[in-house]
Each structure stands twice: as structure tokens, then as C-alpha cells.
Amino acid sequence: MDGKTTLSRSQLGIILAAFALTSVSMGKMMIISGFSGFSAEFPEIPLVTKQLLISVASLSGIPVALLMGKMAGYVSKKNLAIAASLLFALGGLVPIFTESFAVMFAARCVTGFGMAMCSTLATSVIAEHFTGSLRSRLIGYNSAVKSLFGIGFSYFGGLLALNSWRSAYWLHGIGFVILLLVLLFLPNERLPGKHERETVQRANIHITGPVWYYSFAAVMMFVFFSAHGNNISLLFAENRIGSASQAGVASAAFTLGGFLSGLLFHNVYRRLKAATQIVGYVLSGISLLLMGMSGSYPMICMESFVFGLGFYLIIPHQTLLVTEAVSKETYTMAAAIYLGAINLGQVISPFVLELLSRAFPGGVSGRYLVAGIGLLAMALLAVLREWLQSKKKSVYSQTH
């Protein structure tokens, strides 16, 4: 497959369906711009509870993503993708039509179910249908698509929120477009019978050490990564760097860096190989450290761009390593565990950073410093792991 210069129509359709599924990974960006209007409408609700409305989609997706690893042997990926797109669309549209905060909260959980399923399936579909350099290229493009839609959701969500915060929720209608693309292009797979399924699971369903290692790394990585998205506007306000709209530009610079990194990932990975994620850690860590110490708006925009470049070298590389560490039958389960780890890191990030940053002066700037140091520490651990792995291989080759 890797040797082909052109892709077949069916392969192009599968890629289109996979990219459509991954497009909603940044779905929470749709409603962030309208948060102030939403908050004003519910003054009796504590601020922390209202902020949970954004992050609960990540939290609710964790058990569903893990459950999908089991469901993949009983329900086709096409049917799971149909359900995922409908859950995302319907859950996302409910807040337009209700005045109840409790109903909105439940609907956001349903949206989180759909987002987690879509993201897991996008990785699983690519890993199942493509191999070698083509797989690494597509996983990089997958990250680029995610960043591109993050930019679009932020921009159009902001435009719609100028009318009312509820208007931004109409963007969830993209779930119906995804449904159509899945119906048209994602092939039906033959599901194994009961006896065949039990035989395959006993023989092949095995979560290997690298999956657990990179999933744990993803939890820590997103604890530190989320310092930027959760605190950029606070950093601008605390250090009097600029307005809220300028903070939005700095956030967009990060997403633009992530988009470019996704496009270039395959070429970078082909040259750096195992060092790809290490370079990503270093770029990301240094960028966050500089943002924590910088008071210049142009510099923070540049540092945010470099942060996006570095961070989106790590995610596709680890995704590739996770899928390469398991059998075909375990792709969905491995992808689900890794995605669940990412979501867990995002959810616990504010609490962990708040605790760790107490050792640093500077309030919000301290969180950036903690996050930068954390990512650089992860770079050192990655270097140590690679050294141990190469030493182990060297000993093995000498004894065999």
C-alpha cells in the first residue's frame, strides 16, 4: 500500500470519513467565546460549576472511549461512527432549546460521549486501513485537521456568540455532516461470530507496555499542556499584556502552529524518528517557560506559535507508537486508552497546576513556569527511556 503513488477511491473515502470524525475533537472551542454571556444568564450558579460545563465533555468521554474498546468486537465501526456523530450533534444542540442548567449539563455529557467516540474511531480507522509511512503521514494530517477545525470553531463560535451565546451551539450541527460522510464513505466491516470473536480476543487482545507508558505520559503531558489554554486570558490580564481579543490572537497562534506541525509531522518523523517527541517536549517546555517570564505581546504570540509546533509533534508521534505496539484487533482499545488519558489530564490539570504552582511566585505566570519545567522533565525521561531501550537492544543483539 505504501508503494502506491495514488490512492484508490475507497481509500480516499476512508480518509475523508476519518478526518470528518476527528474534526469534532476540538468541539469545546465552539462555546468558549460565549461563556461570559452564558455565565451572566445563570448568576445563581457558582462559577466553578459553570466552568465545568466546558470541561465535562472531556470527563464524560473517558468511560465511553474505554467501553468502545470492548464494543468494537460486537458493533461495526461504521455503526459506532453513526451513533457518535448523532450523539455529538443532538447533545450539542439541546442547550439552544432549554432554560435548565441541569439539562444543559446532561447534554454536554452526551456531547462528550460523541466527541470521545469520534476521536477514538478516527485513529482506529487510520491504523486499521493504512500502514507504514502512509499511516504516519495520515496521523500527522489528522492532527492538522484537528487544529484547523479548532481555529474554525473558535472563529465562527465567536461570531455567532455576538448574537447570543446559544447561537454558537448551532455549530454542533456539523455532526449531521459527519453522519452523511460516514454513511457514504466508511465501509461496513464483517464482524466475527461468537466463537471466532472469543478465539481472536484470547489470542490477540493484549494491551502492551508501551500503550500504558504513553497513556500515562499523556495524562502528565496534558496536565502541563492545559496551562496555556486555561490561563492565557488570565496571563494577559494579570501582567497587563493586552486585551481579551489579543489573548485570543495568541491562542490562535498556538492552533496555527499545531496545524503546521501536523502537516510537517511525517517529514520531521522520517528524519528524527524516536527523537521526534523529545524535540516536541523541548520546544513546548521552553515556550511555556518564556511565556511565564515574558511581558511582550508579540513575543508571547511567537512563543505560543512555537508551543503549538512542538506540542503537535508529540501527539501524532505517540499515537503512532501506541498503534504500532498492538495487534490489529486491539487498535480501538489502545486508541481509547490513550484518548481517555488525554481527557483525564485535561480534567485534572487546573487542580494539579494550582497545587504545584504554589512553590512559584507570580500567580498565573507561576503555572506557566511549572508547566514548562514539567514538559522539560518529560523530555529528560523520554531521553532516558530511549537510551535504556537502545542499550537493551544492543545487549540482545550481542547475545543472539
Side-chain angles (χ1 to χ4, degrees), residues 8 71 76 119 130 219 224 290 375:
S8 67
M71 293 173 62
S76 71
S119 299
F130 303 97
V219 173
F224 301 132
L290 291 175
L375 288 172

Side-chain angles (χ1 to χ4, degrees), residues 301-321:
C301 286
M302 178 59 68
E303 289 152 7
S304 186
F305 175 77
V306 175
F307 179 48
L309 279 177
F311 202 79
Y312 280 95
L313 285 178
I314 305 169
I315 297 174
H317 188 197
Q318 290 189 350
T319 301
L320 187 63
L321 291 169

Side-chain angles (χ1 to χ4, degrees), residues 54-67:
I54 296 175
S55 61
V56 73
S58 298
L59 181 62
S60 67
I62 296 174
V64 176
L66 296 176
L67 183 61

Side-chain angles (χ1 to χ4, degrees), residues 76-93:
S76 71
K77 289 183 178 63
K78 183 164 187 171
N79 287 335
L80 287 172
I82 290 170
S85 55
L86 285 173
L87 288 172
F88 176 80
L90 297 176
L93 294 173

Side-chain angles (χ1 to χ4, degrees), residues 203-219:
N204 298 310
I205 302 298
H206 175 60
I207 302 299
T208 60
V211 175
W212 296 118
Y213 169 80
Y214 289 116
S215 295
F216 176 75
V219 173

Side-chain angles (χ1 to χ4, degrees), residues 4 59 80 90 129 149 178 182 207 236 245 264 327 336 398:
K4 293 183 179 180
L59 181 62
L80 287 172
L90 297 176
H129 290 278
F149 274 85
I178 297 168
V182 166
I207 302 299
F236 270 60
S245 62
L264 298 175
S327 65
Q398 291 175 5

